[in-house]
Amino acid sequence: MQPHSATGSTTGPTPVPSPLLSLPGAVAADGQDEGVAAHYGDLFREQRALAAGTGLVDLSHRGVLTVTGDDRLSWLHLLLTQHVSELPAGQATEALVLSANGHIEHALYLVDDGTTVWAHVEPGTREALVAYLESMKFFYRVEVADRTDDFAVVHLPAGSIADIPEGVAVREVPYGRDVFLPRADLEAYAAAHGPAIGLLAYEALRIEGHRPRLGFETDHRTIPHELGWIGGAVHLQKGCYRGQETVARVQNLGKPPRRLVFLHLDGSDVHLPGHGTPLRLAADGAEGRQLGFITSSGRHHELGPIALALIKRNVPLDAQLLAGDTAAAQEVVVEP
């Protein structure tokens, strides 16, 4: 099963293949991550380099949006789940766009540079997001622009000493920096600040860090509480926004229907269970009742096979699970 698009479609502009796919050993990613390299020939070496604070991850397949104008922050504050009306220049944050029923439709990773809000978003979602933002402009002094053709996102891991070009927007987060690099400079910048790190290494460390991803950890009915996005992407003390009633109701009741878990998978299996693989109680075997599904999986250089999954809230914390035919032990990410 391919990752689900929260906006109802995985279609969009065909991604322009990254010039870094011409590097030695590059193997192209597929599915939602088409257009960049899955790896450059040695997955675990790339993971170790990233964990040590070296190298660069090509995220140039992601969409890049900007919002300019005097009302940009106050306007976005009305639409997003995050408190951004007084966002300091240079402070990174993330935010969601919800449906009227509180289901996650979009995830934005943004920063304001003092004159412009820069955001990167999942591949295939930018057109729908731009259309929604344009429909909500009304009388506000804002301009929304799709800058994907001109700018590419690259990720530098925490501890990287790579130079940042002057005037370039940067999101600094605990696990590294997202740089909004002029697309024309991508190849030269990678050559100067490599080695290039493939997306599989980046994803394995994302899974280890319990960081949810739109379209992977979400489906058409996911609410923020299920993924631990309360606080990080959802501010509970801000004004109204679409879907806020659901957020408040679930927060007060404390009972989201599902919860995100981290899984240690049986390392003896050659096959890695992919997105959508059913989860059942090990005691019930492969014919037991489905309790959830794998959302993301990867091979970690230290932990071995790992995954994130969405399971029913009432599954016991110590329950041993089966992901397809693979044994899985859970760690709590979102408390039940």
Side-chain angles (χ1 to χ4, degrees):
M1 182 186 298
Q2 288 294 322
H4 172 85
S5 169
T7 57
S9 173
T10 56
T11 61
T14 301
V16 177
S18 170
L20 303 193
L21 284 172
S22 65
L23 293 178
V27 174
D30 57 12
Q32 190 163 324
D33 290 321
E34 181 184 0
V36 296
H39 62 84
Y40 294 90
D42 191 335
L43 171 61
F44 292 147
R45 177 188 60 78
E46 293 168 37
Q47 278 190 39
R48 288 190 289 269
L50 199 60
T54 61
L56 168 150
V57 182
D58 179 9
L59 300 178
S60 61
H61 63 317
R62 294 183 65 83
V64 176
L65 312 180
T66 60
V67 181
T68 55
D70 292 344
D71 295 336
R72 65 190 184 281
L73 290 176
S74 59
W75 175 69
L76 285 171
H77 186 80
L78 299 173
L79 305 177
L80 305 181
T81 57
Q82 187 57 273
H83 196 300
V84 297
S85 61
E86 300 169 3
L87 184 68
Q91 180 174 309
T93 192
E94 54 190 271
L96 308 175
V97 173
L98 305 182
S99 72
N101 293 322
H103 301 138
I104 299 169
E105 291 190 343
H106 292 283
L108 297 83
Y109 301 84
L110 54 88
V111 66
D112 184 78
D113 67 5
T115 61
T116 302
V117 173
W118 293 80
H120 64 81
V121 299
E122 285 293 336
T125 67
R126 73 180 195 266
E127 285 192 327
L129 178 56
V130 168
Y132 169 69
L133 294 176
E134 288 285 353
S135 74
M136 301 300 292
K137 285 169 63 172
F138 304 117
F139 55 84
Y140 290 95
R141 297 169 295 174
V142 294
E143 293 296 332
V144 179
D146 182 349
R147 306 299 303 278
T148 310
D149 289 344
D150 302 317
F151 288 89
V153 179
V154 297
H155 177 79
L156 302 173
S160 171
I161 59 173
D163 297 330
I164 305 296
E166 186 176 355
V168 169
V170 178
R171 291 185 70 252
E172 186 159 358
V173 291
Y175 53 91
R177 289 175 289 174
D178 298 334
V179 182
F180 294 85
L181 191 72
R183 190 170 287 273
D185 298 342
L186 175 59
E187 195 165 8
Y189 190 79
H193 300 292
I197 306 294
L199 205 64
L200 289 181
Y202 179 81
E203 283 288 282
L205 298 187
R206 177 185 70 82
I207 294 168
E208 179 193 18
H210 305 166
R211 299 194 300 274
R213 184 178 172 190
L214 182 81
F216 288 74
E217 277 61 60
T218 66
D219 58 21
H220 65 282
R221 60 191 180 94
T222 307
I223 59 176
H225 309 72
E226 296 176 324
L227 304 184
W229 248 329
I230 300 299
V234 178
H235 195 287
L236 294 175
Q237 278 77 49
K238 60 160 289 185
C240 293
Y241 55 88
R242 191 173 70 177
Q244 185 192 27
E245 290 185 0
T246 298
V247 169
R249 182 171 64 253
V250 176
Q251 184 67 20
N252 291 332
L253 293 175
K255 295 183 178 181
R258 302 176 297 181
R259 58 186 177 90
L260 186 69
V261 294
F262 176 80
L263 299 177
H264 292 273
L265 303 174
D266 181 1
S268 64
D269 283 355
V270 175
H271 174 69
L272 191 66
H275 179 93
T277 300
L279 282 170
R280 298 177 171 87
L281 289 177
D284 294 342
E287 302 303 318
R289 180 169 60 96
Q290 182 172 342
L291 303 174
F293 62 95
I294 296 288
T295 59
S296 299
S297 59
R299 299 188 185 278
H300 192 277
H301 68 291
E302 292 181 339
L303 301 176
I306 57 175
L308 292 174
L310 269 179
I311 64 173
K312 294 181 182 297
R313 177 178 53 85
N314 58 1
V315 174
L317 299 180
D318 59 351
Q320 294 296 305
L321 303 173
L322 278 180
D325 297 324
T326 302
Q330 60 171 310
E331 287 185 9
V332 175
V333 176
V334 175
E335 293 285 349

